[in-house]
Amino acid sequence: MEREISPGKPMLPNAPFQKDPVEDSVSPWREAFWQLRKNKLAIFGALIIIFFVLVAIIAPFFTPYEYDQLNAGERLSAPSADNWFGTDDLGRDIYTRIVYGARISLMVGFFAVTGALVMGTLLGIIAGFFGKWVDMIISRIFDILLAFPSILLAIAIVAILGPSLQNALLAIAIINIPIFGRLVRSKVLSIRQEEYILAAKAQGMKNGRILFHHILPNSTAPIIVQATLSFGTAILEAAALGFLGLGAQAPMPEWGKMLSDSRQYIQSAPWTVLFPGLSIMLVVLGFNMLGDGLRDALDPKMKN
Amino acid sequence: MLAYTIRRLLMLIPVLLGMSIVTFAIIYLIPGNPARIILGDHATEQAVANLEEQLGLNDPLHIQYLNYIANLLQGDLGTSIRTNAPIASELWPHLAATFELTIFAIAFATFVGVNAGIISAWKQNSWFDYLSMIIALIGVSMPVFWLGLMQQWIFAQELGWFPSFGRDNPRDPVQMITGFHLIDTLLNGRVDQFWTALKHLVMPGIALGTIPMAIIARMTRSSMLEVLRSDFIRTVEAKGTRTFFVIYRHAFKNAVIPVLTVVGLQTGTLLGGAILTETIFSWPGIGRYIFEAIGTRDYPVIQSGILVIAFIFVIINLIVDLLYSYIDPRIKY
């Protein structure tokens, strides 16, 4: 269709395409931000995340011990003024380990989600924009990856590559690729049909420019929502792999690994199991609350 | 409908082929010589060569794949390296254990989730709505293995209400017939053992069902809210129908499709996700079977176990898709 209108030809007066300037005076992002600020749960979630990020960054400055500092005389001692969350079976301070564990969990979540987001977005754009057999192949690969329950696929990948934190991170990134890929592909497909894309093509805009100026900015909102929610899921998955012994290895203070190491002491020293689990739950809760809030604010369909 | 069913079945073929390629590839993606890795560093060259021969690693790749597919189609899932037994026969008791656990979990999740979601939507913005949505939010954020550990600590060790692991009383086992303990105990006429089996099922079932329960409750609520705003609900109410029937008969029937999708998807996810619950409660299911195989590098078991779960997962999704048009005749294909 774009070839029928030559670039030099003057455009028709396109009054119906133009939006009312008054209606457009507030940018949709600002409106979404206002909406988000009113959502107490989302703000609470954001505060939880900020708290954990701060804890992770300044961890070494306010922990009295090292995370792998053994203390044979203080095995499995209950929470006290010296050891706020008690000590584990090797006499290590659980509070210190949890603070350092925040670094690991947030790092895994960040890199796994970023990796999945970049790869998924790229594949989704290629599939949606070029269509035909390219789309066929990429979509089938997504179908096949999604045909495996995600945690099982992650376990399989780690079983092949060998257990380590890096491989667990890689596995989590891989299982999340099709989620972003499908999202972006469907967004690209729907945006491609919009009239302003047609107009851009009619003006002789190149594919790459249309992609980066129109299609990507317009699919940002759902990607942000999905990334926030996936961040929480990725942390859960990393903890699950750690718990199964397929993720972080000793003496790393990974929360899931801490749980599996301490589970045999649950009756005599419940604090060894209580605090790592609570930390996982709180951080994931933060991402879920913020993600829900972002969806309500950014997705016009959900607006009342 | 028939045409759609056939088309949907045909669409399965590339996915199934792709799945088989993925599981087939597992052994080749292992860095190094797979036979050497399976046997460990101390194995003799002869043993490694024998295992390579047994696994068919010496044939050309496409022949190996065709053999793999031919065996699968005949129901031959390979031989376990650790026990030397055919995997297909070892698999069933584990699969039955996981099915029993998953069915219990999804039944619990659906019953509680759907009703909580319906009441939340009906009494929107009430204290019940807020409470159940906060519980649902916490439920989706909870690591299932931690929930299981906490249950064991509180309900098994402190209160002593439920046994903390296993499926039955090991000193008085019942004869296996179907592999489902709840059915086998009744077939054996052992009502006391039935209660024991049920008690063993409660904690792992609830742990496994918590996340889907939360997801189902949220989905039911939002789907119901949409339906409750529609015109026909106002008409039914104007007609004087009792609120209970408006909600459960008229509204829920129209809100059920997205809920059904979630239930179907979650059932499949649980089959794979059960590995964590099974590890905590020592439940002898398929997840543990695969997990133990990872520990002993029993790659044929890993391959077949994952393939079987993915196959069931795909079939469940197929059934859910086909159920749509049965439940909602307005959906035409």
Side-chain angles (χ1 to χ4, degrees):
Chain A
M1 185 149 193
E2 67 265 46
R3 290 196 190 90
E4 287 169 19
I5 305 168
S6 70
K9 207 170 178 179
M11 289 288 293
L12 292 169
N14 54 349
F17 295 106
Q18 250 165 15
K19 281 187 181 169
D20 184 359
V22 179
E23 193 189 309
D24 236 10
S25 60
V26 178
S27 93
W29 290 104
R30 181 157 296 180
E31 201 193 325
F33 182 67
W34 285 342
Q35 192 106 19
L36 191 65
R37 274 209 320 210
K38 280 187 286 180
N39 188 333
K40 286 191 196 102
L41 276 183
I43 294 301
F44 188 57
L47 288 178
I48 295 178
I49 296 169
I50 292 170
F51 171 75
F52 273 97
V53 169
L54 285 180
V55 162
I57 292 173
I58 56 176
F61 299 109
F62 71 120
T63 48
Y65 307 94
E66 292 297 318
Y67 68 83
D68 52 358
Q69 185 181 334
L70 306 178
N71 188 346
E74 292 281 332
R75 276 192 195 138
L76 297 174
S77 60
S80 64
D82 286 341
N83 306 100
W84 291 358
F85 293 171
T87 61
D88 65 6
D89 55 314
L90 298 172
R92 295 176 296 194
D93 181 47
I94 292 177
Y95 167 72
T96 306
R97 288 177 66 75
I98 283 181
V99 164
Y100 276 91
R103 283 187 160 184
I104 299 177
S105 283
L106 290 174
M107 190 200 77
V108 170
F110 179 78
F111 285 111
V113 170
T114 309
L117 192 154
V118 171
M119 279 305 293
T121 306
L122 216 61
L123 288 171
I125 284 175
I126 293 172
F129 205 74
F130 295 104
K132 295 184 188 138
W133 61 271
V134 182
D135 182 24
M136 244 280 290
I137 292 176
I138 293 178
S139 295
R140 285 297 86 75
I141 293 176
F142 289 162
D143 283 351
I144 291 162
L145 282 177
L146 289 170
F148 296 93
S150 55
I151 189 74
L152 197 68
L153 191 59
I155 288 171
I157 295 170
V158 178
I160 295 168
L161 300 176
S164 76
L165 187 63
Q166 282 83 351
N167 291 342
L169 195 158
L170 188 67
I172 295 167
I174 293 174
I175 59 175
N176 280 299
I177 289 175
I179 297 172
F180 286 97
R182 273 202 173 172
L183 182 78
V184 173
R185 174 182 172 270
S186 73
K187 206 66 198 165
V188 171
L189 283 182
S190 71
I191 293 174
R192 258 179 69 181
Q193 310 296 325
E194 297 279 341
E195 281 160 342
Y196 63 86
I197 300 294
L198 222 67
K201 280 190 176 173
Q203 285 178 337
M205 243 192 189
K206 296 250 164 52
N207 274 350
R209 220 171 128 76
I210 293 179
L211 206 57
F212 286 100
H213 276 250
H214 290 301
I215 293 185
L216 262 187
N218 278 299
S219 15
T220 321
I223 298 178
I224 291 177
V225 174
Q226 186 57 50
T228 313
L229 293 169
S230 289
F231 210 115
T233 324
I235 290 176
L236 271 185
E237 282 157 352
L241 289 176
F243 183 80
L244 291 172
L246 298 171
Q249 302 295 314
M252 277 183 124
E254 201 273 326
W255 293 338
K257 178 93 179 106
M258 287 170 73
L259 279 178
S260 69
D261 288 345
S262 310
R263 56 177 295 202
Q264 49 180 316
Y265 308 106
I266 189 167
Q267 201 161 11
S268 54
W271 54 87
T272 55
V273 177
L274 192 64
F275 293 110
L278 275 178
S279 312
I280 302 173
M281 197 184 80
L282 209 57
V283 125
V284 177
L285 190 65
F287 281 104
N288 281 340
M289 291 199 291
L290 181 63
D292 280 358
L294 281 172
R295 179 167 48 204
D296 292 350
L298 291 171
D299 193 343
K301 271 188 295 182
M302 301 283 287
K303 271 185 201 162
N304 289 332
Chain B
M1 180 62 204
L2 184 70
Y4 173 74
T5 310
I6 292 171
R7 212 172 58 231
R8 189 69 181 68
L9 282 172
L10 286 176
M11 271 167 61
L12 267 187
I13 294 173
V15 173
L16 291 177
L17 275 178
M19 279 164 39
S20 70
I21 292 174
V22 170
T23 50
F24 172 74
I26 285 180
I27 204 159
Y28 301 95
L29 294 174
I30 304 168
N33 178 350
R36 168 62 67 190
I37 288 188
I38 288 168
L39 292 173
D41 290 335
H42 303 296
T44 61
E45 287 302 321
Q46 186 56 43
V48 172
N50 285 345
L51 186 64
E52 276 178 347
E53 189 60 44
Q54 185 197 330
L55 294 173
L57 292 173
N58 298 327
D59 298 331
L61 208 57
H62 61 281
I63 301 286
Q64 288 185 39
Y65 180 69
L66 289 178
N67 281 339
Y68 179 69
I69 292 292
N71 288 339
L72 283 181
L73 289 176
Q74 291 166 29
D76 177 3
L77 296 176
T79 310
S80 161
I81 291 173
R82 187 167 53 110
T83 61
N84 235 344
I87 295 169
S89 65
E90 271 191 350
L91 207 61
W92 174 247
H94 292 100
L95 208 52
T98 298
F99 277 150
E100 192 169 34
L101 180 61
T102 306
I103 292 169
F104 183 89
I106 206 74
F108 159 78
T110 309
F111 181 76
V112 179
V114 162
N115 283 297
I118 288 177
I119 297 171
S120 284
W122 176 13
K123 306 272 183 198
Q124 196 192 357
N125 299 330
S126 67
W127 63 267
F128 181 90
D129 183 24
Y130 287 126
L131 189 70
S132 56
M133 283 310 112
I134 286 174
I135 293 176
L137 202 54
I138 294 175
V140 288
S141 311
M142 184 113 66
V144 55
F145 42 97
W146 184 63
L147 177 65
L149 289 174
M150 289 291 121
Q151 283 181 333
Q152 276 182 339
W153 173 42
I154 296 170
F155 297 108
Q157 288 164 357
E158 298 295 323
L159 297 171
W161 291 355
F162 298 106
S164 45
F165 43 78
R167 269 184 99 187
D168 57 358
N169 184 352
R171 284 188 208 127
D172 186 13
V174 285
Q175 191 201 339
M176 287 263 284
I177 300 167
T178 59
F180 291 84
H181 273 29
L182 288 185
I183 299 174
D184 287 348
T185 47
L186 290 181
L187 288 178
N188 280 309
R190 297 286 305 275
V191 179
D192 57 325
Q193 283 286 61
F194 174 81
W195 290 113
T196 314
L198 192 62
K199 267 188 169 176
H200 279 89
L201 200 52
V202 170
M203 286 209 311
I206 289 178
L208 187 62
T210 297
I211 291 177
M213 176 189 78
I215 296 174
I216 291 169
R218 288 165 60 135
M219 183 51 93
T220 310
R221 179 177 179 271
S222 68
S223 178
M224 279 293 282
L225 279 178
E226 208 164 288
V227 173
L228 285 175
R229 283 196 205 109
S230 53
D231 291 340
F232 75 89
I233 291 296
R234 207 186 322 143
T235 312
V236 175
E237 277 175 339
K239 211 174 68 176
T241 311
R242 274 171 45 203
T243 316
F244 180 83
F245 288 110
V246 174
I247 299 286
Y248 277 87
R249 185 178 292 167
H250 295 275
F252 183 61
K253 217 174 176 180
N254 285 284
V256 80
I257 291 277
V259 176
L260 187 76
T261 311
V262 172
V263 171
L265 275 177
Q266 289 299 318
T267 310
T269 311
L270 285 196
L271 284 173
I275 184 166
L276 290 160
T277 315
E278 287 170 4
T279 306
I280 289 166
F281 292 97
S282 305
W283 192 266
I286 182 119
R288 270 185 71 75
Y289 184 57
I290 296 174
F291 183 61
E292 279 165 12
I294 292 177
T296 54
R297 300 181 188 282
D298 195 344
Y299 283 99
V301 169
I302 302 175
Q303 287 175 301
S304 296
I306 289 177
L307 188 65
V308 166
I309 292 186
F311 180 72
I312 299 169
F313 188 47
V314 169
I315 296 299
I316 291 174
N317 287 346
L318 173 75
I319 294 171
V320 172
D321 267 8
L322 294 180
L323 266 182
Y324 287 163
S325 58
Y326 176 77
I327 289 185
D328 190 345
R330 287 172 304 185
I331 294 181
K332 288 274 191 301
Y333 296 105

